[in-house]
Amino acid sequence: MAAFEPKNPGYRAAAIAMFERQPAMHTLGIVIVRLAPGEVELAMLHSPVFTQQNGFVHAGIIAAGLDNACGVAAFTLMPCEADILTVEFKTTLLAPARGERFVFKAEVVKPGRTLTFCEARGFAEQDGKTTLIATMSGTLMAMLPRVAPMREPHAGSA
């Protein structure tokens, strides 16, 4: 992967702060394990409350981890005034999500001024074995502050 230069010299603190403001990530117990410009690794421990009827971690939980990994990876390359929003993603589930720990790794493929394209992989860890369980490709948008246009004075107004 190509090395990216962050636009925000404080990208690390900004990305951690953005991540920490997400109650959903706290609820799922997802934490940042590794962070670099254009890359992130998140992890989550298994919990029976995240499972579906067959005892596997629900696909929606796996997708949330992958989506957030893409978002954090993309955010590390955005300017300091930007916020982040997912505009689309595609997830492929490759194996049942069973394990003691789940890891979500994402990297930026193509950064842009407004849109950034990322890829992520989800892994299940169990008994010393790591299994690729899901992939995601996603597009994320930099939400930049909008400047109000100057208005022309109306005729007859003071």
Side-chain angles (χ1 to χ4, degrees):
M1 188 185 108
F4 293 110
E5 188 68 33
K7 294 176 184 169
N8 177 359
Y11 80 90
R12 185 174 182 76
I16 291 169
M18 179 273 293
F19 182 84
E20 291 298 323
R21 288 193 308 271
Q22 297 183 54
M25 294 300 102
H26 291 285
T27 299
L28 297 174
I30 296 178
V31 297
I32 295 174
V33 174
R34 189 180 64 77
L35 185 63
E39 301 177 41
V40 72
E41 181 177 325
L42 306 178
M44 173 187 89
L45 295 177
H46 177 273
S47 172
V49 300
F50 302 149
T51 60
Q52 43 82 295
Q53 72 279 2
N54 298 303
F56 308 130
V57 171
H58 194 284
I61 303 293
I62 299 302
L66 292 167
D67 173 43
N68 207 273
C70 285
V72 174
F75 188 76
T76 65
L77 300 180
M78 294 187 179
C80 59
E81 67 275 11
D83 206 340
I84 184 92
L85 189 65
T86 301
V87 294
E88 68 84 29
F89 62 73
K90 179 195 184 304
T91 304
T92 302
L93 304 167
L94 303 170
R98 64 176 145 228
E100 301 158 350
R101 182 174 182 259
F102 298 88
V103 176
F104 309 103
K105 297 179 181 182
E107 59 186 36
V108 170
V109 174
K110 172 78 171 69
R113 190 184 78 226
T114 305
L115 298 177
T116 297
F117 183 79
C118 295
E119 291 183 345
R121 288 173 297 289
F123 301 90
E125 298 175 348
Q126 174 113 18
D127 300 325
K129 182 180 173 193
T130 300
T131 303
L132 177 64
I133 59 167
T135 63
M136 177 179 281
S137 56
T139 307
L140 298 106
M141 179 179 84
M143 293 178 30
L144 297 167
R146 296 184 183 223
V147 177
M150 296 289 294
R151 292 187 173 201
E152 294 291 323
H154 293 294
S157 62

